[in-house]
Amino acid sequence: MTEDSQRNFRSVYYEKVGFRGVEEKKSLEILLKDDCLDIEKLCTFSQRFPLPSMYRALVWKVLLGILPPHHESHAQVMKYRKEQYSDVLHALKVIRFVSEATTQVEVYLRMYQLESGKLPRSPSFPLEPEDEVFLAISKAMEEMVEDSVDCYWIIRCFVNQLNNKYRDSLPQLPKAFEQYLNLEDSRLLTHLKTCSAVSKLPYDLWFKRCFAGCLPESSLQRKNMWEEKGNQDKRVCSDQRHFSKSQP
């Protein structure tokens, strides 16, 4: 039996006995052992297979450009990221925009506002629609990434990517959604059209938030929504849609 046929047999066997993803996990570990991570291969992998939770933050940080591909630089770069996080947080405490009573997701929002030059004059000012989007994404991300520094940087870069790369494509997504639904479940699409419900679906809410706050976090982790967005951005940047098909 050839090596490929053995691997295929093992994959089928593992899946039948409930250990789906064993081979994929091994493949990812091989990719992550390289001294210089192959961004293209990581993109392809995370679009095709679930990301194990133990590697999720690392892969996201690399794909979003928070960490460079070279392993030897990771520790030093994350040191700088942590220092910047601490400096921004300290500044917010000094000007009394955050306190010990401030929720973590609101801290992330104020940090992002300060760094992007959009911090309001007072924390009592009402939130803008874009702030509500940020908070929804932050709440979902907080369920998937434990470390607060990692979580902030991933949220920050993910939101920047949405705003800078995909804002212009939002009007096209309802039509793309209908086309995709027609392929996946044409009976459901026909039913929605018969009920005149297609035009009443909350597209704006769904797509601006990448379904954060609309679907359970577990669904965002398992349905390959957020990683595809990060992957597509990395492909475009190096000439090469929504972050998370992950398994526990």
Side-chain angles (χ1 to χ4, degrees):
M1 185 180 291
T2 66
E3 184 177 346
D4 286 342
S5 60
Q6 286 179 332
R7 182 180 295 108
N8 291 335
F9 172 79
R10 287 199 304 271
S11 297
V12 173
Y13 173 75
Y14 285 140
E15 188 165 337
K16 283 184 177 180
V17 297
F19 292 98
R20 183 179 180 182
V22 173
E23 289 294 300
E24 289 84 352
K25 181 180 178 183
K26 290 181 179 179
S27 299
L28 178 60
E29 288 173 344
I30 292 172
L31 290 176
L32 294 176
K33 284 181 181 179
D34 291 341
D35 293 333
C36 182
L37 300 178
D38 191 316
I39 303 299
E40 188 69 23
K41 288 182 179 179
L42 284 177
C43 286
T44 301
F45 180 93
S46 56
Q47 286 181 320
R48 294 181 59 190
F49 306 112
L51 276 181
S53 58
M54 62 188 298
Y55 299 122
R56 184 187 304 144
L58 173 59
V59 174
W60 282 357
K61 286 189 290 184
V62 172
L63 293 180
L64 288 169
I66 299 165
L67 286 176
H70 298 277
H71 265 298
E72 61 183 14
S73 303
H74 285 187
Q76 189 65 31
V77 171
M78 278 314 300
K79 178 183 176 183
Y80 295 145
R81 302 295 190 193
K82 289 177 182 178
E83 289 175 353
Q84 183 174 339
Y85 178 95
S86 298
D87 289 344
V88 176
L89 180 58
H90 176 70
L92 288 170
K93 289 179 178 179
V94 169
I95 61 177
R96 299 182 181 180
F97 249 82
V98 301
S99 66
E100 297 300 326
T102 308
T103 64
Q104 190 62 53
V105 292
E106 187 178 346
V107 170
Y108 294 148
L109 172 62
R110 299 307 185 187
M111 292 178 67
Y112 182 76
Q113 288 175 329
L114 182 59
E115 290 200 285
S116 58
K118 296 179 180 179
L119 191 69
R121 294 181 180 179
S122 168
S124 62
F125 280 22
L127 296 176
E128 299 291 336
E130 63 184 34
D131 299 332
E132 299 287 358
V133 170
F134 187 97
L135 287 175
I137 292 174
S138 296
K139 288 175 183 177
M141 194 70 74
E142 192 179 33
E143 295 295 319
M144 293 184 270
V145 182
E146 294 182 1
D147 183 83
S148 58
V149 176
D150 285 350
C151 191
Y152 171 68
W153 277 100
I154 292 172
I155 296 167
R156 178 183 186 271
C157 293
F158 184 73
V159 170
N160 280 338
Q161 177 177 297
L162 287 177
N163 292 336
N164 298 330
K165 298 272 180 194
Y166 300 103
R167 185 181 299 238
D168 294 339
S169 67
L170 288 177
Q172 305 166 21
L173 294 182
K175 184 177 180 180
F177 170 80
E178 289 185 36
Q179 293 173 343
Y180 183 77
L181 184 58
N182 186 48
L183 291 174
E184 293 294 317
D185 195 335
S186 59
R187 291 178 61 188
L188 175 57
L189 179 60
T190 300
H191 175 70
L192 290 173
K193 287 183 175 180
T194 302
C195 299
S196 301
V198 173
S199 61
K200 296 179 175 63
L201 293 174
Y203 293 121
D204 194 55
L205 181 67
W206 287 353
F207 300 136
K208 283 188 176 180
R209 294 187 175 195
C210 290
F211 294 91
C214 307
L215 294 176
E217 282 72 22
S218 58
S219 296
L220 295 176
Q221 294 182 48
R222 295 175 183 275
K223 295 302 182 184
N224 196 25
M225 291 180 175
W226 286 6
E227 275 152 16
E228 287 189 6
K229 188 69 79 174
N231 297 338
Q232 186 183 38
D233 177 62
K234 184 58 67 176
R235 290 174 183 271
V236 169
C237 287
S238 58
D239 224 6
Q240 5 193 317
R241 173 204 65 116
H242 183 48
F243 211 86
S244 173
K245 185 181 183 182
S246 303
Q247 63 184 23

